[in-house]
Each structure stands twice: as C-alpha cells, then as structure tokens.
C-alpha cells in the first residue's frame, strides 16, 4: 500500500460518513442546515487520526523509539530540552497516541468543539515542525555535522543527508519518504485550520444537554475514550507484545528468505558532478556512472600541466534512484540460528541492566529442558554495565550462549526485555513477551 492508496481509502470512508451520519442524519431533523464540505473534512481528518493512532498504538514502544530518534537529532542541532524529551519519550508517545485516537473519535462524533479542533491543529503543527525540520536536514552535510540553522553552509539537497529516513507516522505499517511525510503534514495542518475556522459547523451526534447521573453524556464519552485508548496502548507493550506485528521478524516469517532478498536489494545512488573549464568557463554536469566516458576531464592539461577541468565540490548533487532494502533483517548475522534445521530458542535481552531477571530464570529452565532433547538456545544482548555477562548468566542460571547484537536490531525482533522466540530452520514459529513465558509443555505443543 502507498500513501496515495491510503488517502483514497480514507476519503472513501469520509464520503460514506458524510452521506450517512452527516447529510443522512441531518435530513431526519426539521430545518437542518447541511454543510457537506465541512463534514467531509471533519470525517477525513478524524478517520486519518484514528487509523494513524491505531497502527502506532499496536506498538507504542516503536513510536517511542522513533521519537527518541527525533529528539536525539534535535539535541545535536542545539534545541533546548531535547535530552529531557529523549529520556521521557515513552510517556510522551503514549500521550500523543491517546490524543490521536481520542481526537479522531471526537471529530467523528462532533464532540469537544473548539477544544477538539484547536488541539488537533496544535498537534498537526507539532508534527509538521518535526517532519519539516527533518526534511530540511537534507540541505546540511551529515559528515561535517552542519547545523540546520547554519544557513551559510547549506549545500545542494541530498537524500543521503536526511537524518531520519522514515517518520514513523504510520508505525511499521507504512513507510513514507521524508518529502511525502512533510507534504502530508502540511496538507493536514491546513485541513485542521479549516476545522478551527468552521468549528460551529461541526456535525454533532451527541446531545449537549443530556445527562447521566448528573454528568454530561459528552464528558462521559470523552472520558471513556481516553480510558479505552490508554488501556489499548498498555496492552501492546506493558502487559504483552504488540497484538499486530508489522516488523520483519513477525511470526511466520522465513528469515533466511527475507534476509537473502534484502541482501540482494542494493541501493542505487546517482551522483552528478559539476565540472568547469578553467579556460573557457564551460560547465558540464557529469553522472558518476558515466564518468569514464569523459576521459578528457583529467587528460586535458594547460601549459602548466594542470587539469583544465576542475570539479566544483559544492555543487555535487546526490540523488537516490532506488533506496534498496533498509530492513533491520540485513543486520542479523547469526547464521547458526538461521541455518538450524531443528527447533531452537532465541532469547532477546537488549539492555541487561533493565531486563526482567525472573523471566530470564524461567527461560533458563525452559532452555535446560530443551537442551536434553537437542534444542539449542542463544541469547542476544547489547549492553550490561552493572554486571559482567558471566555474573548475569550466573544470576539467571543461563547455561547457554550469550552474544552481542545491535540495539535497534534487538528492539525490532521483539518488544520485550527479555523476549523469547521459537524458530525452526530460520522460520519464526512463535514469540513471547517476558510476562507470558510459556511452560515447556506449551512449547512442545507447538512443535510438529
């Protein structure tokens, strides 16, 4: 699915809502005033917020990791409070996800009036700032760490300079290019402003004066929406793993085939050099792939024996023709796991200082039983500062191999610390959150 296909589906949903609970409902009321354009925008923005919120709320930790990427980059650019935001990315992300879901529902129901429209506009302005800031880093050199506010040192735009290549707007469900993200946010900021200016024309489904136990029914509905959205988010990271997994290590994935396909999908980058003839002033743009066809660039010499053609490095342009595979699966370097023809366990520990040791002990017991039947276990981690790895293994009775891996890779495999993965011949059979480590009998029931 592309972003354009998604917007088409959202528009169809908005048209259906406009025709039914918008125009259709209005005809049931005497002397009702109909505002179809206003209602279409209301339902379009509302539907988008609900969809965007849902695909991220199934994986709140993924959203938090993405926000950390933004805050890290902004901190490098010298913006204040970014370190604090980075350290509190998870609660910030939870608030943002709940807001998206609740605001989307409120727009569909026509609840909240100016509170709803102004909050929606404020959130879209914030998103536009994030994605716009990121897109503009394409004009600054990544290698030389040029700040985005250092306008004097801006250079030609290059996709390779953009710091964050995926905004995370739709989680792992749909990846957008930075320019697509920025334009999308500008459009929805304009639509949100339209709603602010036409708040009095919002279609309202819930009566303003109806009360239940002396409480306004609209207040009850909004409170219930907040509680449900918050509970849904916590269900997908604190109490369990995400109920829907869009990542490349989802259950049922053939990791060997996926990694082979990713390795074969190589990025294609086109670099265009600007050459100037120092004697005639002639300018030529030369594609790097065809530079060997222009031998005169280094063969033509002046009287002093120096090359006549000189490259203007500041005008070098780089364009990505094909992005290639950027999946984290390309960094999975553990062939003993991928090529193991029998069932085997993969334990994902991440930062062992923050790991749930009781869950590790449960896994160790399971691994010990599996070893007796010829099933191997391997644990991956990226950091331990409070203990040596041998001390940690002793504490959790981990009589199996521990190896290091990239932090981002481990967070992609499973959103738990620790998490347990059952594989066979490189295929992901099942994954478990540390709060739901199975018994060995439960694991055996999955083995064919």
């Amino acid at each position: 699915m592309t972003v354009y296909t998604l917007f088409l589906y959202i528009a169809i949903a908005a048209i259906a809502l406009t025709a039914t609970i918008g125009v259709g409902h209005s005809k049931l009321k005497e002397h009702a005033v109909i505002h179809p354009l206003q209602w279409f925008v209301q339902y379009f923005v509302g539907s988008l917020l609900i969809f965007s919120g849902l695909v991220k709320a199934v994986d709140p930790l993924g959203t938090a990791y993405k926000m950390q990427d933004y805050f890290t980059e902004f901190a490098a650019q010298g913006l204040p409070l970014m370190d604090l935001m980075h350290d509190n990315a998870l609660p910030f992300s939870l608030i943002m996800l709940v807001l998206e879901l609740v605001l989307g529902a409120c727009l569909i129901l026509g609840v909240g009036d100016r509170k709803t429209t102004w909050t929606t506009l404020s959130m879209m302005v914030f998103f536009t700032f994030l994605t716009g800031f990121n897109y503009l880093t394409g004009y600054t050199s990544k290698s030389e760490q040029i700040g985005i506010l250092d306008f004097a040192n801006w250079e030609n735009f290059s996709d390779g300079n953009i710091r964050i290549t995926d905004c995370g707007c739709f989680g792992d469900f749909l990846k957008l290019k930075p320019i697509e993200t920025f334009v999308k946010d500008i459009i929805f900021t304009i639509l949100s402003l339209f709603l602010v200016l036409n708040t009095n024309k919002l279609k309202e489904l819930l009566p303003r004066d109806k009360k239940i136990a002396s409480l306004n029914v609209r207040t009850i509905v909004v409170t219930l929406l907040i509680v449900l959205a918050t509970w849904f988010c916590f269900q997908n990271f604190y109490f369990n793993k995400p109920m829907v997994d869009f990542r490349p290590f989802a259950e049922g994935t053939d990791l060997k085939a996926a990694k082979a396909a990713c390795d074969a999908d190589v990025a294609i980058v086109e670099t265009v050099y600007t050459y100037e003839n120092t004697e005639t002033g002639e300018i030529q743009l030369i594609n790097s792939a065809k530079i060997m066809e222009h031998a005169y660039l280094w063969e033509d010499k002046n009287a002093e024996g120096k090359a006549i053609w000189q490259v203007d490095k500041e005008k070098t342009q780089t364009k990505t023709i094909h992005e290639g595979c950027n999946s984290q699966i390309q960094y999975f370097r553990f062939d003993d796991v991928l090529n193991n023809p029998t069932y085997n366990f993969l334990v994902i520990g991440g930062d062992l200082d923050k790991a749930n040791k009781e869950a590790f002990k449960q896994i160790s017991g399971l691994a010990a039983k599996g070893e007796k039947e010829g099933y191997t276990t391997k644990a991956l981690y990226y950091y331990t500062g409070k203990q040596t790895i041998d001390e940690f293994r002793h504490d959790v009775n981990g009589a199996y191999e521990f190896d290091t891996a990239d932090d981002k890779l481990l967070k992609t495999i499973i959103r738990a610390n620790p998490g347990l993965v059952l594989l066979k011949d490189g295929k992901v059979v099942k994954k478990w959150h540390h709060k739901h480590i199975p018994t060995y009998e439960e694991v055996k029931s999955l083995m064919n």
Side-chain angles (χ1 to χ4, degrees), residues 153-356:
N153 288 311
W154 275 26
E155 55 187 37
N156 290 326
F157 181 85
S158 171
D159 291 330
N161 283 333
I162 295 179
R163 306 307 195 265
I164 302 171
T165 55
D166 169 47
C167 68
C169 305
F170 299 107
D172 290 298
F173 171 78
L174 179 63
K175 305 289 187 180
L176 301 185
K177 296 178 180 179
I179 183 60
E180 292 176 331
T181 304
F182 187 29
V183 172
K184 170 190 72 71
D185 287 342
I186 290 175
I187 292 173
F188 278 93
T189 298
I190 294 172
L191 293 179
S192 300
L193 178 60
F194 176 82
L195 291 177
V196 167
L197 298 176
N198 294 275
T199 300
N200 61 320
K201 298 175 185 176
L202 283 180
K203 179 65 180 179
E204 298 180 349
L205 292 183
L206 299 179
R208 292 172 175 269
D209 53 356
K210 188 173 182 179
K211 295 185 177 182
I212 300 177
S214 75
L215 292 175
N216 189 291
V217 67
R218 295 157 72 95
T219 302
I220 294 175
V221 168
V222 173
T223 302
L224 183 60
L225 287 172
I226 294 173
V227 171
L228 288 175
T230 303
W231 173 83
F232 183 75
C233 289
F234 272 83
Q235 273 292 111
N236 288 296
F237 82 96
Y238 185 77
F239 298 111
N240 209 335
K241 59 185 175 65
M243 63 176 61
V244 182
D245 192 349
F246 298 116
R247 300 184 305 281
F249 294 87
E251 293 177 3
T253 302
D254 185 335
L255 299 183
K256 283 197 297 185
K259 189 174 188 305
C262 185
D263 292 342
D265 188 10
V266 181
I268 301 175
V269 179
E270 179 184 82
T271 302
V272 177
Y273 299 106
T274 299
Y275 278 88
E276 180 179 0
N277 189 307
T278 56
E279 294 184 348
T280 65
E282 180 185 352
I283 300 293
Q284 286 203 31
L285 301 180
I286 306 296
N287 191 307
S288 59
K290 299 180 179 180
I291 195 169
M292 297 307 294
E293 300 175 8
H294 305 273
Y296 61 86
L297 294 174
W298 54 89
E299 290 178 351
D300 292 354
K301 309 286 186 180
N302 58 20
E304 299 176 357
K306 295 181 179 180
I308 294 176
W309 293 91
Q310 297 292 324
V311 64
D312 188 341
K313 294 182 179 179
E314 294 184 357
K315 294 183 179 181
T316 298
Q317 299 180 28
T318 302
K319 182 179 180 181
T320 301
I321 305 301
H322 175 65
E323 292 184 354
C325 177
N326 61 359
S327 169
Q328 282 294 313
I329 201 168
Q330 65 186 305
Y331 304 114
F332 194 87
R333 55 180 173 80
F334 306 99
D335 291 340
D336 56 332
V337 174
L338 292 177
N339 298 319
N340 191 332
T342 63
Y343 286 100
N344 59 101
F345 299 110
L346 185 64
V347 187
I348 305 301
D351 184 348
L352 296 184
D353 289 345
K354 299 178 181 179
N356 185 308

Side-chain angles (χ1 to χ4, degrees), residues 31-152:
H31 307 301
V33 179
I34 296 177
H35 302 284
L37 176 60
Q38 161 67 25
W39 296 341
F40 172 79
V41 176
Q42 174 184 346
Y43 297 136
F44 187 75
V45 175
S47 298
L48 178 86
L49 287 175
I50 290 176
F51 180 81
S52 173
L54 280 175
V55 294
K56 293 198 293 289
V58 297
D59 183 16
L61 279 179
T63 300
Y65 297 149
K66 181 60 63 176
M67 296 311 298
Q68 285 180 333
D69 291 342
Y70 276 110
F71 297 144
T72 297
E73 180 55 38
F74 289 172
Q77 297 286 346
L79 295 185
L81 302 178
M82 290 300 106
D83 290 336
L84 178 63
M85 295 291 284
H86 179 278
D87 294 340
N88 293 278
L90 179 56
F92 176 84
S93 298
L94 289 173
I95 292 172
M96 183 181 70
L97 293 176
V98 171
L99 262 182
E100 276 194 89
L101 291 170
V102 173
L103 287 174
C106 284
L107 283 174
I108 300 296
L109 298 174
V111 174
D113 300 332
R114 293 199 174 279
K115 292 179 183 178
T116 297
T117 56
W118 273 104
T119 305
T120 301
L121 176 61
S122 300
M123 187 170 65
M124 290 311 305
V125 168
F126 174 73
F127 287 160
T128 304
F129 169 74
L130 287 182
T131 58
F133 191 101
N134 180 56
Y135 177 72
L136 292 177
T137 59
Y139 290 97
T140 64
S141 172
K142 183 186 294 186
S143 60
E144 297 179 15
Q145 293 296 312
I146 301 298
I148 194 172
L149 299 180
D150 189 3
F151 302 112

